[in-house]
Amino acid sequence: MWKALWKEWTIDKPALLGDWLWEVLVVQLAALLDRLTLRKVIAFLPVIVVVLAYHHQIPLPPELMLVGDVLAYIDIVSVLLLLGILSRVTTILFLIKQATARIAGFTSRLATAAGRLDLRHRRESGARIRKRLPDRSGNDSDDEPIMAGGLAWA
């Protein structure tokens, strides 16, 4: 009887304790760490802050509690932040689209006006020079700027 009792308390019970410690500290801890995510850790931080503050009897400012709420609801806050960023991006893209449309319209009007000036074709070398009619305003028309497509050509 004493031998069986000695064997149970020196071999079997410590072996059971070792098996139990292995199960809790290795197997179950690994399973817990597999299920643990960054979101869960961040959501648990306010709980730790509140427990430490009450344990040390430190009064908590409302801003710290608000930070705790933001951390607890980080998924909702991140969605709102992303929506705000996307709305700004779409606004910027709309402004860029409008600016490119205005630049394209301006260049097409400028090309049309420059085509009307017909600066590409010069007179033939043997052509007769026409006499100019006298200007009614009295000033030389070469001094006036030429308006083409909203720009003044000097």
Side-chain angles (χ1 to χ4, degrees):
M1 174 178 135
W2 288 110
K3 244 184 179 180
L5 190 62
W6 178 258
K7 182 182 173 196
E8 180 183 342
W9 282 99
T10 57
I11 297 174
D12 295 337
K13 296 286 184 186
L16 284 175
L17 178 66
D19 291 341
W20 178 78
L21 286 174
W22 177 263
E23 176 71 25
V24 170
L25 295 178
V26 176
V27 176
Q28 290 182 5
L29 182 63
L32 174 73
L33 291 177
D34 282 342
R35 290 188 315 261
L36 192 63
T37 61
L38 182 63
R39 182 188 176 280
K40 288 181 182 178
V41 170
I42 291 173
F44 192 68
L45 284 177
V47 175
I48 294 173
V49 169
V50 169
V51 168
L52 287 175
Y54 284 134
H55 177 71
H56 292 292
Q57 297 176 351
I58 300 171
L60 291 177
E63 298 87 18
L64 188 61
M65 296 308 292
L66 181 64
V67 168
D69 290 341
V70 167
L71 289 176
Y73 299 110
I74 190 108
D75 49 353
I76 296 170
V77 172
S78 62
V79 166
L80 292 175
L81 182 67
L82 284 174
L83 285 176
I85 290 171
L86 286 177
S87 68
R88 289 188 182 183
V89 167
T90 55
T91 304
I92 290 171
L93 288 176
F94 177 71
L95 291 175
I96 289 172
K97 182 180 171 184
Q98 272 189 336
T100 54
R102 286 185 180 179
I103 289 171
F106 178 71
T107 54
S108 69
R109 285 191 311 269
L110 188 61
T112 303
R116 286 184 192 146
L117 290 175
D118 202 17
L119 297 175
R120 294 177 294 163
H121 305 294
R122 297 189 175 180
R123 291 186 182 209
E124 294 178 8
S125 60
R128 292 185 348 185
I129 299 175
R130 291 188 336 200
K131 287 188 175 182
R132 292 191 183 173
L133 296 174
D135 197 11
R136 292 184 186 175
S137 62
N139 16 347
D140 192 10
S141 63
D142 289 340
D143 294 337
E144 294 294 321
I146 299 172
M147 294 298 291
L151 286 179
W153 292 76

